[in-house]
Amino acid sequence: MMNEPLTLRIGQACLEVVEGDIVSQQVDAIVNAANEQLLQGGGVCGAIFRAAGAAELQRACDAVAPCPTGEARITPGFALPARYIIHAVGPIFDHYAPSEADRLLISAYRASLALARQYGLQSIAFPSIATGIYGFPVTRAAPLVLQTLIDDLHTHQAPGLVRMVLWRDTFPVYRDVFTHMQSERKLNGG
Ligand code: AR6
């Protein structure tokens, strides 16, 4: 059984937190937790390449690579339900001072949202970037990421739907942080 989506209205926009598989999301763009070379890897990246069509997607990635940590690139979604894939590179946690890793993670999310707006996209789904193979602690990432998404939606009111799609391992952490933020906003009249 999947859990019910958790939602937060931010003006005209909506932030959702759900448990699920990013590959099957029916949105304008899904985000890939990519590496700087934009090569097919493991984790969520491997799943996205397999579902999109690995050979075609790799050719499209090669044309826009490299992508420095904290930045994002866009390709078609090929066989995916999503029209586009936004490839965002999070930090390898051990390679940076923690505060620098935080800054780079925030930057990867913001760069993805900026690309989505540039392409006029209405909906985007993110995985938990960098919290798998790249070793960014999920308890550190969840509050940082959710606050970044909320702040960005306050500022830009677009894309209209931003969804965090979390695998079983990270969903409970994001759910608890999100629920806490929801109740704080209610208390503050937000
Ligand atoms: N849907 C949603 N989330 C998923 C899925 C899925 N289908 N599969 C895994 N996750 P990772 P990173 C979660 O390792 O840490 C690749 O080789 C997973 O539980 O995929 O940014 C790339 O090519 C985890 O919490 O990405 C890079 O080289 C989260 O996705 C490198 O790994 C991210 O874990 C990037 O590492």
Side-chain angles (χ1 to χ4, degrees):
M1 255 299 271
M2 291 286 176
N3 293 280
E4 285 293 302
L6 301 162
T7 65
L8 189 65
R9 279 238 146 257
I10 300 158
Q12 300 301 307
C14 187
L15 174 63
E16 291 184 355
V17 172
V18 304
E19 181 181 351
D21 188 344
I22 191 102
V23 163
S24 56
Q25 298 298 308
Q26 311 252 0
V27 287
D28 290 341
I30 65 166
V31 176
N32 177 25
N35 53 65
E36 289 190 336
Q37 295 72 36
L38 303 185
L39 291 171
Q40 177 172 14
V44 71
C45 179
I48 290 172
F49 268 76
R50 283 191 296 277
E56 244 182 334
L57 178 55
Q58 191 60 69
R59 271 194 297 277
C61 282
D62 291 346
V64 294
C67 179
T69 299
E71 295 189 17
R73 301 284 184 268
I74 192 165
T75 68
F78 299 105
L80 290 177
R83 200 147 47 97
Y84 294 100
I85 303 167
I86 293 175
H87 305 265
V89 182
I92 300 173
F93 191 70
D94 283 351
H95 287 194
Y96 302 93
S99 62
E100 180 66 359
D102 288 353
R103 190 188 68 74
L104 289 165
L105 186 66
I106 290 170
S107 171
Y109 281 88
R110 286 202 186 132
S112 302
L113 291 164
L115 258 182
R117 285 192 295 274
Q118 196 184 317
Y119 278 71
L121 308 186
Q122 306 296 318
S123 55
I124 184 169
F126 285 95
S128 179
I129 297 168
T131 61
I133 292 164
Y134 279 4
F136 200 113
V138 64
T139 49
R140 188 178 180 95
L144 200 63
V145 166
L146 292 174
Q147 196 58 55
T148 298
L149 297 177
I150 290 169
D151 291 347
D152 201 86
L153 282 176
H154 266 298
T155 306
H156 298 284
Q157 302 286 311
L161 174 64
V162 176
R163 181 183 291 155
M164 285 298 300
V165 180
L166 301 157
W167 210 233
R168 285 178 286 277
D169 54 348
T170 58
F171 175 73
V173 179
Y174 278 85
R175 178 197 55 208
D176 292 351
V177 172
F178 190 75
T179 308
H180 185 73
M181 284 178 165
Q182 271 178 324
S183 51
E184 290 220 313
R185 282 170 65 86
K186 280 194 193 110
L187 282 176
N188 297 328

